[in-house]
Amino acid sequence: MKNIRNIISGMLALLFVTTILGSCQTDDYLVDGGKSNPYYDGTIMEYLESRDDMLFSDLVKVIKMTKWYDVFSDENADVTFFAPTDFSIDKSVDMLNYYLYNWNNMEKITDLSQVKSEVWEDMIGMYVLKGKYRLNDIAQIDTVALSTFPGQTNYTYDKKYKLTMGVCYGDANGIKYAGYRQIMCANQDYGISIYAYVSSCNIEPRNGIVHVLRLDHSLGFTPYALYSKAMEAGIDYPDDTWQGGVPLTGKREDSNNMLIINKESNE
């Protein structure tokens, strides 16, 4: 599954670039560019499950382990979901496995269910807001002029996190803020703002709004978040798997891999 995702990631990235430049300029654009009806005749959960392009297959598996399955299936939910793709989950799981194997002397996970359901529930909760927020409902943000255009900050659905969201206005023909518009969101719980950009916006199932995050986003807003939360909760290994747990004094893999991980984490 992951190899197939790597093959199509370039194609999807190209499609999302098109979407970034055009999908959020009006209310009637749907995913992957192309003007279309933004409404989906079903729930948020049904929308995620309906996608056959492997953007949300792992996301759906994760959601089904948590209370968010019931929320997203509720016809009266009235929520906004900044949906991370499977690529976001892959990035964070890769970081989790790297640190498990190299720094904790523990086996890598081979199934998403080995991460406890409360960890997935907590992390998905970072992206869920009560109420429907379409592009036109969100305040302008300019990350280099936050005193003037700060966006807006809301508590997440379960009031556990603060999520800042805003609409970035591009320039056009030398006129500031006259160009395309793009939604972004930021987590405020790490001491600094970590931004995530939306590639497809204003998708509207019956019970809420979905904004799809860009492929380069890491679940939890930083690749380290899943590792930290999963280790704190404990990993569910099969009974016949040795868990280890004693930190190694050295690394099992070459330093080049660590440099790659660090570069991705910094970005």
Side-chain angles (χ1 to χ4, degrees):
M1 178 71 73
K2 188 173 178 181
N3 289 335
I4 297 175
R5 289 201 194 106
N6 289 336
I7 293 173
I8 68 171
S9 61
M11 297 173 61
L12 287 172
L14 180 59
L15 289 172
F16 280 155
V17 167
T18 303
T19 306
I20 288 170
L21 294 177
S23 68
C24 292
Q25 296 183 52
T26 62
D27 288 337
D28 55 352
Y29 276 82
L30 197 54
V31 178
D32 296 341
K35 201 169 184 178
S36 180
N37 183 351
Y39 301 103
Y40 177 78
D41 188 18
T43 64
I44 291 174
M45 200 66 227
E46 288 170 336
Y47 167 72
L48 297 175
E49 292 175 314
S50 73
R51 293 295 298 265
D52 57 3
D53 50 15
M54 291 184 296
L55 274 186
F56 299 127
S57 59
D58 284 343
L59 177 64
V60 166
K61 292 177 186 177
V62 165
I63 290 172
K64 285 183 175 180
M65 300 181 211
T66 73
K67 71 178 183 183
W68 301 116
Y69 179 78
D70 292 332
V71 173
F72 295 156
S73 299
D74 182 357
E75 290 281 354
N76 300 310
D78 194 34
V79 297
T80 296
F81 182 36
F82 288 88
T85 68
D86 288 359
F87 292 88
S88 297
I89 294 175
D90 282 347
K91 284 167 66 69
S92 293
V93 169
D94 285 346
M95 177 67 86
L96 167 64
N97 276 334
Y98 185 89
Y99 279 125
L100 284 176
Y101 190 77
N102 287 280
W103 297 103
N104 295 94
N105 200 24
M106 298 168 69
E107 293 300 318
K108 299 178 180 180
I109 69 166
T110 57
D111 192 279
L112 295 174
S113 63
Q114 290 177 251
V115 175
K116 292 186 183 298
S117 60
E118 57 262 34
V119 173
W120 294 123
E121 184 165 299
D122 175 63
M123 298 192 74
I124 296 300
M126 294 180 176
Y127 302 93
V128 187
L129 299 173
K130 286 188 176 180
K132 294 181 180 180
Y133 293 93
R134 303 171 186 84
L135 182 146
N136 289 339
D137 302 318
I138 302 173
Q140 183 177 354
I141 191 169
D142 186 336
T143 57
V144 297
L146 287 173
S147 60
T148 305
F149 299 109
Q152 62 196 80
T153 299
N154 298 62
Y155 277 103
T156 53
Y157 184 94
D158 51 13
K159 300 188 183 302
K160 193 171 184 179
Y161 296 99
K162 289 181 180 179
L163 187 74
T164 295
M165 56 183 172
V167 178
C168 302
Y169 285 65
D171 300 340
N173 300 320
I175 302 174
K176 195 168 182 62
Y177 303 139
Y180 71 92
R181 294 176 290 165
Q182 181 185 9
I183 301 173
M184 54 79 64
C185 60
N187 182 280
Q188 303 290 346
D189 293 276
Y190 294 108
I192 59 172
S193 296
I194 302 177
Y195 296 102
Y197 290 88
V198 167
S199 61
S200 301
C201 71
N202 289 357
I203 303 158
E204 192 163 353
R206 291 195 300 263
N207 61 344
I209 303 293
V210 177
H211 304 299
V212 181
L213 296 178
R214 247 170 34 180
L215 301 183
D216 58 359
H217 177 66
S218 294
L219 185 70
F221 288 86
T222 168
Y224 184 79
L226 178 60
Y227 166 72
S228 175
K229 293 175 183 293
M231 286 296 291
E232 183 179 356
I235 305 294
D236 287 334
Y237 286 101
D239 292 338
D240 59 350
T241 300
W242 178 68
Q243 297 183 35
V246 180
L248 295 175
T249 57
K251 298 185 284 289
R252 293 187 185 182
E253 297 178 8
D254 61 64
S255 59
N256 287 334
N257 286 338
M258 192 60 205
L259 290 174
I260 293 172
I261 292 291
N262 284 334
K263 181 175 184 297
E264 292 179 347
S265 180
N266 290 334
E267 292 175 349

